[in-house]
Amino acid sequence: MSGATCGKPLVGPFPLKQGWPWARIAIFGGAALGVLALGAAAIWLFTADEPRLVIVSEPVVFSQGGSEETIGTLRIRNDGSGDLNIAGIDLSPASFTAPLPTSRIPPGESTDVTIHYAAGPASPGEGTLTLRSNDSNSPRKVLLMVSRDPWWVYDRLESTSTILSKKP
């Protein structure tokens, strides 16, 4: 222990400097925060009272019970801040029909669309519902599927196959 210094004096990892560089960072940082705040305010102003259509039950599945008409339900909800206005419903093919639901859905509310499926000899296994509204993502398409009786394959094979015949 001679009392002599050995090494350099300790310096912090980020020495504070006075003057222009730190003032410049503070000015530009404040300006950047101001621009972000203005941008957020503009987004809020321009999206206020904007409806947002949410399809709750997709796809809509129908059970096919021979030549009977079956009904499926599509639930739609407005998750936006403005009224959702339903402009129209288009269905394809013609074996699917639906009346126009309530034309105005307030924010946070939902409504059901009742869809009718009339089975016929040449009815398809699926269709499409197109929903037009005042949502910025309009129109929206929903898949409509027809679920056949689970025994339809067996019944068809039984009627044409000699192997599956129950006759002795």
Side-chain angles (χ1 to χ4, degrees):
M1 298 260 288
S2 66
T5 60
C6 62
K8 295 183 180 180
L10 294 176
V11 178
F14 302 106
L16 284 177
K17 294 184 179 179
Q18 300 295 326
W20 178 242
W22 288 103
R24 186 172 27 176
I25 290 172
I27 290 170
F28 289 128
L33 285 175
V35 168
L36 286 174
L38 283 174
I43 288 171
W44 180 79
L45 281 174
F46 290 114
T47 59
D49 294 336
E50 182 75 22
R52 188 170 149 240
L53 173 69
V54 174
I55 298 172
V56 178
S57 53
E58 181 181 14
V60 179
V61 179
F62 299 84
S63 61
Q64 184 176 5
S67 61
E68 302 170 6
E69 178 179 280
T70 57
I71 295 175
T73 303
L74 172 70
R75 175 162 288 170
I76 55 177
R77 185 177 65 230
N78 181 5
D79 279 355
S81 57
D83 287 345
L84 176 67
N85 296 317
I86 305 298
I89 294 178
D90 301 321
L91 292 143
S92 175
S95 52
F96 295 100
T97 58
L100 189 65
T102 305
S103 62
R104 187 182 74 81
I105 304 170
E109 298 292 319
S110 62
T111 190
D112 291 338
V113 179
T114 303
I115 306 163
H116 301 269
Y117 172 70
S123 295
E126 62 183 48
T128 305
L129 178 140
T130 304
L131 194 58
R132 293 179 280 116
S133 70
N134 63 334
D135 183 352
S136 60
N137 292 325
S138 182
R140 299 281 301 274
K141 293 191 179 220
V142 178
L143 179 63
L144 307 174
M145 297 177 61
V146 178
S147 173
R148 292 182 175 248
D149 174 15
W151 293 100
W152 74 275
V153 173
Y154 174 77
D155 291 339
R156 185 170 180 176
L157 285 174
E158 186 179 31
S159 67
T160 58
S161 172
T162 56
I163 297 172
L164 295 175
S165 175
K166 295 179 184 176
K167 297 177 186 174

